[in-house]
Amino acid sequence: MTQATADSATSQALSVATGSERTRTPATVRTAVLHLLRSFGMTSIFGNPGSTELPMFRDFPPDFRYVLGLQEAVVVGMADGYAQATGRPAIVNLHSAAGVGNAMGNIFTAFTNRTPLIITAGQQARSILPFDPFLASAQPTELPKPYVKWSIEPARAEDVPLAIARAYYIAMQPPCGPVLVSIPADDWDRPTEWVEPRVVSTALRPEPGVLAQIGDALDGSRSPTLVVGAGVDRDGAWNEVLQLAERHQARVWVAPMSARCGFPEDHPMFAGFLPAMREKIVGLLSGHDVILAVGAPTFTYHVEGTGPHVPAGASLFQLVDDPQVAAWAPLGTSAVCSIRLGVIDLLARAAPPQRTAPPPRPERTRAEPPLAGERMSVAFALQTLHEVRDPGHIVVEEAPGARSVMQQHLPITRSDTFFTMASGGLGWGLPATVGVALGKPGSRVIGLIGDGSAMYSPQALWSAAQLKLPITFVILKNRRYAALQDFAPVFGYADGEVPQGTDLPDLDFVALARSQGLDAVHVEHAEALRDTLTRALRSNGPILVEIEVA
């Protein structure tokens, strides 16, 4: 993820340059932290206030914005979407142990999404910590681990601004991710020193010798293929990867469980989506002699597998910004680097001999409307959404049971227009939709959410209504945890056997939305869907469309 101030540069600047030297008045922890956040361009604070956070917000400055979420998981989800949409870190303010605990599911998702978040957690006052006070966090730095990159409770109050600065730089170091600073309630009025931001660049070019191996392999390949992951879009490498695929006439697959779109899904070189199963990946990549994973692990699996990780005779290479991912790759050659800089260096090589283009991918199959008396299919609903939406509309998805259908009937064709959660944990989608809309003002954002997922963080609808954001929430209501029921045969369930606890009757999302101030509409008949979605996508504020699907 790159900062807004460095989007057009060839490196990731981890802080913005300081403006004019501020007047040297005495600083408190509060004024020094707010000055530092302002210098970093972080004037939107996502939070759900608790008692130990109140001192932070006394005399709240008018150039800051407090974005309220009604539950801590919602707060972190909104901040995650906002950070991804803006390309800058977001700051999150949570309560001590209880607040951080409530937020842990979405902190985990932010960690797997590689989203830079600075989380401040209110701690009880230092003066009463020896007495095990009410609402204190006993081990505040251990609580969020292992799903933060760094956590600290500064030893002295006057060290809090320096801890915030360090947290910022660590959060922005590839691979980006969340960090946590625990701050006792009586720290904010203590005197301290001003802290100015620094420019810290950590963007790495690949080692030339390793890059030469990758380039030579691509140039000499008879049938290369690329496997792209979320790192492509995070690092702004969409156009460069497109050029690389066209240069080598390489088929392009999307890596398993990718949380972003890294290649236009209507392009002739686009091949499809790899499943998170070893044997199926090997089968789909069969026939390729060089496999280059770009911004993606090799590979993410969901179930046990056996046999080789790549087809016989194929060589595996990887461009990745995470040394841990490179370390556990089962085979092949990995270059740890900025994805964009690595691809730029590959493109700087002499053009290889012209290769014959592979045959075009078969046309996508069309979903048929339902027969009289039947509910519409998810495929028909998503195909209709695709036909009425603008390609520039942003889709934020958390409908795991419908994802494979979405990949067939709702193609993503532009950079920065698709976000989902990399963790598999539910409760991220609704608040992330709100955060993305905040971070992309003026853009229409579509929250495509399953009915089971929507119940994990429905409080996000209130935030969307209060902020009057141009969001269309689309709830696919199939009255079940479809992903679990569809996945059950992998774990030995008989055909038709329904796992316990996976049916969801009697949910009413129209009533739920209206109770939080949103307009909402229910669609049961296929013939009404197109007009309903068309109107919803033109609404001035947020609206929820509940679609009954089979």
Side-chain angles (χ1 to χ4, degrees), residues 1-3 12 14 76 79-90 105-118 146-149 168-179 229-236 256-260 295-300 318-329 336-337 339 419-424 428:
M1 179 174 294
T2 54
Q3 284 184 262
Q12 289 188 337
L14 295 191
V76 174
D80 185 326
Y82 182 80
Q84 292 199 61
T86 60
R88 299 191 303 272
N106 276 340
I107 292 174
F108 170 56
T109 293
F111 183 80
T112 57
N113 280 353
R114 307 293 192 260
T115 303
L117 300 180
I118 299 175
Y147 299 116
V148 293
K149 294 180 66 180
Y168 178 90
Y169 304 129
I170 291 174
M172 283 299 287
Q173 288 173 353
C176 297
V179 295
V232 171
D233 213 24
R234 277 201 309 264
D235 204 33
M257 306 298 184
S258 180
R260 302 278 289 265
T298 56
F299 298 97
T300 299
Q318 182 183 44
L319 293 178
V320 67
D321 64 359
D322 187 344
Q324 294 294 329
V325 171
W328 64 249
V336 178
C337 61
I339 306 305
F419 302 88
T420 189
M421 41 79 178
S423 66
W428 173 88

Side-chain angles (χ1 to χ4, degrees), residues 107 111 117-120 140-155 159-173 175-182:
I107 292 174
F111 183 80
L117 300 180
I118 299 175
I119 302 168
T120 61
T141 62
E142 297 301 312
L143 178 59
K145 292 180 179 178
Y147 299 116
V148 293
K149 294 180 66 180
W150 183 65
S151 61
I152 189 173
E153 184 173 280
D159 297 332
V160 169
L162 283 170
I164 295 290
R166 183 175 177 182
Y168 178 90
Y169 304 129
I170 291 174
M172 283 299 287
Q173 288 173 353
C176 297
V179 295
L180 183 138
V181 182
S182 174

Side-chain angles (χ1 to χ4, degrees), residues 210-273:
V210 175
L211 189 85
Q213 292 181 43
I214 297 172
D216 290 346
L218 286 173
D219 292 347
S221 172
R222 57 173 174 75
S223 179
T225 186
L226 306 184
V227 177
V228 299
V232 171
D233 213 24
R234 277 201 309 264
D235 204 33
W238 175 286
N239 292 330
E240 289 77 11
V241 169
L242 177 58
Q243 294 175 45
L244 187 69
E246 291 176 341
R247 166 181 282 203
H248 291 282
Q249 293 295 303
R251 289 271 194 214
V252 179
W253 294 88
V254 175
M257 306 298 184
S258 180
R260 302 278 289 265
C261 180
F263 197 80
E265 295 171 16
D266 59 349
H267 193 279
M269 294 290 102
F270 182 70
F273 298 84

Side-chain angles (χ1 to χ4, degrees), residues 249-409:
Q249 293 295 303
R251 289 271 194 214
V252 179
W253 294 88
V254 175
M257 306 298 184
S258 180
R260 302 278 289 265
C261 180
F263 197 80
E265 295 171 16
D266 59 349
H267 193 279
M269 294 290 102
F270 182 70
F273 298 84
L274 294 179
M277 301 177 71
R278 186 191 305 188
E279 295 87 347
K280 289 188 176 181
I281 290 172
V282 171
L284 289 169
L285 297 182
S286 178
H288 296 293
D289 60 337
V290 171
I291 302 163
L292 174 59
V294 185
T298 56
F299 298 97
T300 299
Y301 301 131
H302 192 189
V303 295
E304 294 180 88
T306 58
H309 295 274
V310 297
S315 298
L316 179 64
F317 300 89
Q318 182 183 44
L319 293 178
V320 67
D321 64 359
D322 187 344
Q324 294 294 329
V325 171
W328 64 249
L331 72 164
T333 299
S334 298
V336 178
C337 61
S338 156
I339 306 305
R340 184 167 179 268
L341 295 184
V343 177
I344 285 174
D345 286 354
L346 286 173
L347 291 171
R349 292 167 54 93
Q354 187 65 36
R355 184 180 285 111
T356 303
R361 186 172 185 255
E363 290 289 326
R364 297 174 186 269
T365 58
R366 287 191 57 79
E368 296 299 324
L371 299 174
E374 292 184 346
R375 284 199 174 103
M376 73 185 88
S377 65
V378 173
F380 179 81
L382 296 183
Q383 177 179 281
T384 305
L385 177 60
H386 168 63
E387 291 170 351
V388 300
R389 80 176 184 106
D390 185 281
H393 289 167
I394 300 168
V395 176
V396 180
E397 177 263 323
E398 187 178 292
R403 187 166 300 156
S404 62
V405 181
M406 179 198 71
Q407 291 166 349
Q408 290 297 316
H409 296 281

